[in-house]
Amino acid sequence: MSPSTALPLILVVDDYADAREMYAEYLEYSGFRTAQAKNGVEALEQAFSLSPDVILMDLSLPVMDGWEATRRLKKDARTKDIPVVALTGHALEGHSESAREAGCDAFLAKPCLPDDLVAHVKKILEGPRRAATARRPRGRKG
Amino acid sequence: MRAPASLRTTSAGRSLAEAKLALTEFFLGCDEFAPCAQTALEWISRHCEVRLALCLATRGERDRLNGVASVGVNAIDATEYAIELASDRYPLVGVLRSGHPTFFRSGQVRDTPLGQRSILAYPLGARAEEDGPRGLLLIPAASAALNPDLAWACELLSEKLIRLRASGLTSEVEAHHERALFTSLLNAVTDPILLTDTEGKVMLANALAERLFTSQDDDSEGRRRAVSLNNLLFSSSLAKQFSEHHEPRGRHELALVDPTEGSDLLFELLSSIVRQPSGQQVVVSVLRNITDLGRASRELGENYRQLREAQAVARHERLRMDLVIDSVADPIVVTNATGEIVLMNKPADRFFNPNGDSREEVQRRVRLNDAHFSSFVSKLFLSDQTPRFRDELSLVVPTNGEVVPMEAVAGRVHSETGELTTVVTIFHDRTEALEKALLYEQLKHFSEELEAKVHAATSDIVQQNELLRRQAIALEQASAAKSQFLANMSHEFRTPLNAILGYTSMLLQGVSGELPASAKKSLSRVDSNGHHLLQVINEILDITRIEAGRMPLHTSEFDLRALIAEVRNELEPIVARSKLDVREELPSRLPRLHTDRQKVKQILLNLLSNALKFTHEGWVRISVRHDARHKRLVIAVSDTGIGISPSEHFKVFEDFQQVDSSTTRAYGGTGLGLAICRRLAQMMDGNIELRSELGEGSTFTLLIPIRTKHP
């Protein structure tokens, strides 16, 4: 893969390094540029400085959680148009709602396979304002 | 006077001379004419063959002959037969004038008691020219020839008549004296006495009566008028009495006027009829002056009437009062100022009067009641002068000794001068009140006990409620903690599983370069088991959320056709791997559903994936039918799979149940899928039904209302 400045930049925000790095690795493998942040504050800093094309935002974060970070991003003129895809392992009802209220453009529940994630990112980039529907992967036949 | 027995028993054997002697002797010893005549007739009938004979003679009156003796003739006819001497033309009267015995042929003299016979009339007594008593002897005769014995007897009788007449003169002088005595006697009577005819015409009056009823021409005008008025009044009164009765009887009041003074007089009139010897009826009236008596009597009457009226009023009042106090069921006793009982009603009478019962115990009980009552009255007299006095005492029923608790209320009645005159006491039977009070006490006691029990129970309940509330809070907290724990656990499970599945997927995709086939195979197993673990975690989470009531419904309107396409699409990799014919049979028009789309999708995913899982060959079909009657859609997922025995049907919807453990091994799955599906369907007012036979395939049918009522 040849990196190029024309490639979309995806900011992956997750405090769990294994997941953050996994998604980043697969995104790069899939032809995206990535930046990483491990909490909300870092996410804001990165977003303001790098202006990514899509932000993948885990919601449960130390220092500043994903909801707060998203609200701030959506309030700031520099970042308010950047799609934010919420990612959370909390499958309980209400999380997706609160994520949308905070300003997230899409919601993905963990576990989310890297290829599913990339598919969503691609879909968002193709239609930047198109809201993605949340879905949960079902078990497959073993 | 009767003839001596010797005369009557004279027999034919005796000589006629003896008989004549005996008759003469009888005449000598007899002073009255009638017995002499009778004896003479009987003598004639016996000795002269004469069966019938009648003797007539003058009695008081000289102008008339009356029958005095008879033989063979009805005695009454004989005595009532009379001959008026004044009638000159009468043949028998002529006999007296002539002084000779005269013979009358049959029919010449008709009206004698002797009938139509030819008779011989023999004159007796004085000769025609002489003044003296006269008589006639009539006998039936065939001719004027006279039997010498008969003539002798007639002559004897005639002489006797003349002799008796001579002695009668002396008695006439005596009669004159007697009349004078009689008149002075009448005049001495203090009441007016009158002898009148039946029409009130005065025949005889004593002096007092004359004052009232007779007047002289030289009397004053007023007196004459008064007298005539009195006569009129008297006559009318008498007439009135005659008209009312056959003869006047009893007493009658007669108001007259005093002719001298002109004042009113009131008499009581007693009248009686007297028959004179001549047969004429006269009335004797005695008038008693009751003028003063009348006045007094009237006054007395008036007083009496007033008294009676007053009494009647009093009696009426008393009666009314008696009725009133008797109508009161409670005993009432009225006492005077000295405490004596003056009046009581019947209920009181029962206690204070033995009512003729002489039994000792009855008398004793009455005395006891009296004593109690006296004590009450004396307490009343000693008490202050409040108008009412109240006390409680016991009275005994005299007849049976039953003790009756009484409340006595006494009211004082004062005279106009403020003196105590009467005390009215009313008794009220307190038995019932006491019983009620007792009952009330018992009731109150029970009520209090009940209240205490209720109170105890209530405090228990309060305690238990508090306990329950705390338990509820604890449960709530526990539930919340559990939910939080599960959420956390879910998160904690997912985070590493996310990495495991992610990296495995990446490795299998060759992100880190191509792997050897054996490594790929192993990684595939990691991937497969990871996904199974994820499914288990998800399903446990679903069950938990449903049980905790944390599975909300999100209703929306959607098209089932699109939803089925979506489900089909998600399962497309599995469908593609199987060799099954997967068909959809949908009607051209389907109503849009208003329910929880996510849950319907989850159910259909589960049903369809199960069908694919348990079917090895043949087909899987999804058919939809609109059940308009029940306003629902019927979505059936049928397959030609292994099927389920009807006896096992109930198991497939239970938690953690598969038909047998071997299926878990053979087909995987948690055994929670259908349990979750049925619960989700029921949350949406629907259900899932199963129709299947072992080896015959299965049909799971989701019945889902077009519109879920829940929000």
Side-chain angles (χ1 to χ4, degrees):
Chain A
M1 293 292 217
S2 54
S4 157
T5 51
L7 293 176
L9 177 64
I10 312 296
L11 175 59
V12 182
V13 187
D14 200 324
D15 63 325
Y16 189 57
D18 287 6
R20 188 178 69 234
E21 286 169 10
M22 177 183 78
Y23 288 133
E25 186 183 344
Y26 193 75
L27 282 167
E28 284 173 7
Y29 169 74
S30 301
F32 294 99
R33 288 185 295 139
T34 61
Q36 295 180 28
K38 57 181 182 290
N39 61 51
V41 175
E42 282 185 16
L44 290 179
E45 287 171 359
Q46 294 278 47
F48 292 146
S49 61
L50 300 175
S51 295
D53 294 288
V54 173
I55 299 169
L56 294 174
M57 178 76 79
D58 186 29
L59 293 174
S60 304
L61 294 173
V63 187
M64 179 192 286
D65 65 29
W67 293 284
E68 180 59 25
T70 305
R71 272 193 285 275
R72 294 197 181 190
L73 288 170
K74 289 297 176 183
K75 274 185 201 161
D76 196 296
R78 293 168 291 176
T79 54
K80 67 176 170 53
D81 292 328
I82 301 171
V84 176
V85 178
L87 256 175
T88 179
H90 287 283
L92 292 183
E93 288 289 338
H95 272 227
S96 62
E97 284 299 311
S98 60
R100 283 186 201 284
E101 280 166 18
C104 295
D105 299 273
F107 182 88
L108 288 174
K110 287 181 185 175
C112 179
L113 293 176
D115 48 350
D116 288 340
L117 180 92
V118 169
H120 265 88
V121 169
K122 281 180 178 167
K123 212 186 275 181
I124 285 169
L125 287 172
E126 281 162 14
R129 292 293 170 264
R130 189 177 142 200
T133 51
R135 72 172 280 262
R136 185 196 295 166
R138 307 302 303 178
R140 285 180 190 158
K141 186 173 178 177
Chain B
M1 186 183 286
R2 308 291 298 184
S6 59
L7 283 176
R8 281 185 282 134
T9 56
T10 301
S11 69
R14 286 189 183 180
S15 69
L16 188 63
E18 275 180 306
K20 284 184 178 173
L21 186 63
L23 182 63
T24 311
E25 277 177 356
F26 177 77
F27 270 44
L28 284 173
C30 182
D31 287 337
E32 286 185 54
F33 179 71
C36 293
Q38 184 65 36
T39 307
L41 293 190
E42 285 170 9
W43 190 93
I44 292 166
S45 74
R46 192 169 301 119
H47 299 286
C48 305
E49 302 297 314
V50 174
R51 294 285 167 260
L52 293 172
L54 174 63
C55 179
L56 305 168
T58 53
R59 281 193 294 211
E61 309 83 1
R62 296 289 173 82
D63 51 354
R64 187 169 168 177
L65 293 177
N66 281 89
V68 292
S70 63
V71 168
V73 175
N74 186 313
I76 293 171
D77 289 349
T79 49
E80 288 195 347
Y81 185 65
I83 298 170
E84 298 292 332
L85 299 182
S87 55
D88 297 338
R89 284 166 295 181
Y90 194 63
L92 289 177
V93 177
V95 177
L96 288 178
R97 296 249 170 79
S98 68
H100 304 289
T102 313
F103 174 75
F104 294 97
R105 284 189 306 277
S106 172
Q108 278 187 312
V109 178
R110 297 181 175 198
D111 59 342
T112 71
L114 299 182
Q116 303 266 356
R117 295 175 177 86
S118 51
I119 57 171
L120 184 68
Y122 195 100
L124 303 175
R127 301 289 169 234
E129 65 277 12
E130 291 174 351
D131 184 32
R134 294 159 194 267
L136 268 178
L137 183 67
L138 304 178
I139 53 173
S143 65
L146 203 59
N147 182 323
D149 294 328
L150 179 63
W152 176 83
C154 288
E155 201 54 41
L156 189 67
L157 191 56
S158 182
E159 280 171 16
K160 183 66 180 175
L161 182 59
I162 291 167
R163 258 203 306 281
L164 284 175
R165 165 70 183 156
S167 68
L169 284 177
T170 53
S171 66
E172 207 162 303
V173 176
E174 283 171 12
H176 181 75
H177 284 297
E178 281 173 8
R179 189 169 293 165
L181 189 65
F182 173 71
T183 306
S184 53
L185 194 69
L186 278 180
N187 287 338
V189 175
T190 53
D191 292 330
I193 296 174
L194 282 171
L195 185 69
T196 60
D197 62 12
T198 51
E199 285 169 3
K201 192 179 163 206
V202 178
M203 295 162 70
L204 178 69
N206 69 357
L208 283 169
E210 276 177 352
R211 264 192 67 209
L212 290 168
F213 293 105
T214 59
S215 58
Q216 306 299 320
D217 289 344
D218 55 351
D219 282 343
S220 70
E221 172 73 15
R223 181 179 161 80
R224 282 208 304 275
R225 275 164 65 179
V227 164
S228 77
L229 180 64
N230 284 348
N231 275 300
L232 203 64
L233 289 168
F234 177 76
S235 304
S236 71
S237 170
L238 216 55
K240 196 176 156 209
Q241 289 179 47
F242 273 105
S243 71
E244 285 172 1
H245 309 285
H246 292 299
E247 50 184 83
R249 266 197 309 241
R251 293 146 183 250
H252 298 272
E253 285 195 355
L254 178 63
L256 297 175
V257 181
D258 188 330
T260 15
E261 293 176 11
S263 61
D264 286 342
L265 295 172
L266 185 66
F267 291 91
E268 185 180 70
L269 173 63
L270 291 107
S271 303
S272 55
I273 287 186
V274 174
R275 199 179 291 272
Q276 281 196 324
S278 62
Q280 191 190 2
Q281 285 189 337
V282 293
V283 180
V284 176
S285 300
V286 178
L287 293 124
R288 280 178 57 206
N289 190 334
I290 54 166
T291 308
D292 293 339
L293 192 66
R295 193 179 301 125
S297 164
R298 269 200 302 280
E299 279 171 16
L300 199 64
E302 179 61 21
N303 287 345
Y304 183 64
R305 192 184 60 74
Q306 284 175 356
L307 185 67
R308 287 288 294 270
E309 265 176 23
Q311 272 181 340
V313 169
R315 194 162 51 239
H316 181 70
E317 285 298 313
R318 173 66 187 259
L319 194 67
R320 216 168 55 156
M321 192 165 132
D322 281 355
L323 278 175
V324 168
I325 71 167
D326 277 342
S327 71
V328 178
D330 290 332
I332 297 176
V333 176
V334 180
T335 42
N336 63 14
T338 59
E340 285 174 83
I341 294 176
V342 294
L343 181 69
M344 57 179 147
N345 65 352
K346 279 179 189 157
D349 200 55
R350 182 169 162 249
F351 287 101
F352 295 105
N353 197 337
N355 291 315
D357 197 331
S358 59
R359 283 180 292 168
E360 174 53 32
E361 65 264 30
V362 172
Q363 304 278 347
R364 184 166 44 77
R365 286 167 190 149
V366 168
R367 284 198 299 276
L368 188 66
N369 287 341
D370 278 339
H372 278 140
F373 181 62
S374 301
S375 149
F376 168 77
V377 172
S378 43
K379 271 196 260 180
L380 161 79
F381 286 145
L382 291 174
S383 73
D384 53 1
Q385 292 299 305
T386 50
R388 293 197 178 280
F389 178 74
R390 192 195 154 280
D391 200 8
E392 286 170 9
L393 65 148
S394 290
L395 293 180
V396 184
V397 179
T399 47
N400 59 16
E402 184 194 329
V403 177
V404 183
M406 290 284 192
E407 179 189 42
V409 180
R412 293 182 175 87
V413 180
H414 297 276
S415 69
E416 286 168 359
T417 56
E419 249 179 312
L420 178 68
T421 57
T422 309
V423 175
V424 179
T425 307
I426 302 180
F427 294 90
H428 183 63
D429 190 340
R430 292 178 64 239
T431 310
E432 206 174 320
L434 288 174
E435 280 171 4
K436 273 185 185 163
L438 189 67
L439 277 175
Y440 176 72
E441 276 305 313
Q442 287 176 348
L443 203 64
K444 205 169 133 190
H445 178 67
F446 287 136
S447 165
E448 279 167 1
E449 272 186 5
L450 195 66
E451 201 177 332
K453 280 179 185 166
V454 168
H455 188 72
T458 308
S459 61
D460 274 3
I461 288 170
V462 166
Q463 227 167 2
Q464 283 178 0
N465 276 348
E466 176 60 19
L467 207 62
L468 282 173
R469 197 178 64 82
R470 287 181 189 176
Q471 283 175 349
I473 292 168
L475 277 173
E476 186 74 18
Q477 286 170 344
S479 177
K482 187 178 161 192
S483 295
Q484 188 57 50
F485 172 77
L486 281 166
N488 290 344
M489 283 307 292
S490 164
H491 183 256
E492 295 309 313
F493 282 135
R494 282 163 201 260
T495 304
L497 203 53
N498 189 39
I500 291 167
L501 291 174
Y503 276 111
T504 308
S505 171
M506 281 164 66
L507 284 173
L508 284 170
Q509 285 179 49
V511 173
S512 308
E514 276 305 304
L515 296 175
S518 61
K520 268 195 169 177
K521 191 182 172 187
S522 300
L523 275 174
S524 291
R525 292 198 171 162
V526 172
D527 185 57
S528 161
N529 280 284
H531 274 100
H532 188 205
L533 181 59
L534 178 62
Q535 191 189 354
V536 170
I537 291 167
N538 281 339
E539 288 182 349
I540 287 174
L541 195 64
D542 278 349
I543 283 284
T544 313
R545 285 157 73 192
I546 290 167
E547 284 181 351
R550 284 168 174 261
M551 179 72 89
L553 278 177
H554 295 283
T555 55
S556 61
E557 185 187 327
F558 61 93
D559 177 28
L560 183 66
R561 196 182 298 272
L563 181 70
I564 289 172
E566 210 174 297
V567 169
R568 174 77 191 267
N569 200 42
E570 283 192 23
L571 294 176
E572 192 52 43
I574 304 169
V575 173
R577 272 203 299 276
S578 72
K579 300 271 173 48
L580 299 170
D581 174 15
V582 178
R583 284 178 276 172
E584 292 157 22
E585 293 178 3
L586 305 180
S588 53
R589 292 175 62 87
L590 270 181
R592 289 170 71 80
L593 287 168
H594 294 259
T595 187
D596 191 321
R597 187 179 196 277
Q598 175 57 34
K599 291 185 173 58
V600 174
K601 183 180 172 185
Q602 188 175 338
I603 293 166
L604 291 181
L605 269 173
N606 196 292
L607 295 181
L608 191 55
S609 65
N610 275 346
L612 294 169
K613 189 196 288 181
F614 294 105
T615 306
H616 307 299
E617 55 185 11
W619 46 261
V620 170
R621 188 180 64 211
I622 303 169
S623 66
V624 179
R625 182 167 64 82
H626 178 203
D627 177 0
R629 191 157 74 92
H630 295 101
K631 295 177 183 171
R632 64 186 178 184
L633 291 182
V634 180
I635 308 165
V637 179
S638 310
D639 62 48
T640 54
I642 58 174
I644 304 162
S645 163
S647 63
E648 309 285 349
H649 285 184
F650 73 98
K651 280 189 179 177
V652 303
F653 295 108
E654 289 186 7
D655 297 349
F656 300 107
Q657 286 281 347
Q658 282 185 335
V659 171
D660 66 58
S661 52
S662 63
T663 56
T664 312
R665 286 192 298 275
Y667 300 99
T670 59
L672 282 171
L674 282 171
I676 292 167
C677 286
R678 176 170 265 189
R679 290 185 191 205
L680 292 176
Q682 286 167 349
M683 281 178 70
M684 295 181 286
D685 302 327
N687 205 353
I688 295 176
E689 293 172 353
L690 166 62
R691 202 172 67 241
S692 179
E693 287 287 340
L694 195 60
E696 299 288 319
S698 306
T699 300
F700 284 88
T701 308
L702 169 64
L703 306 165
I704 185 84
I706 289 168
R707 194 174 286 272
T708 299
K709 285 169 196 150
H710 295 294

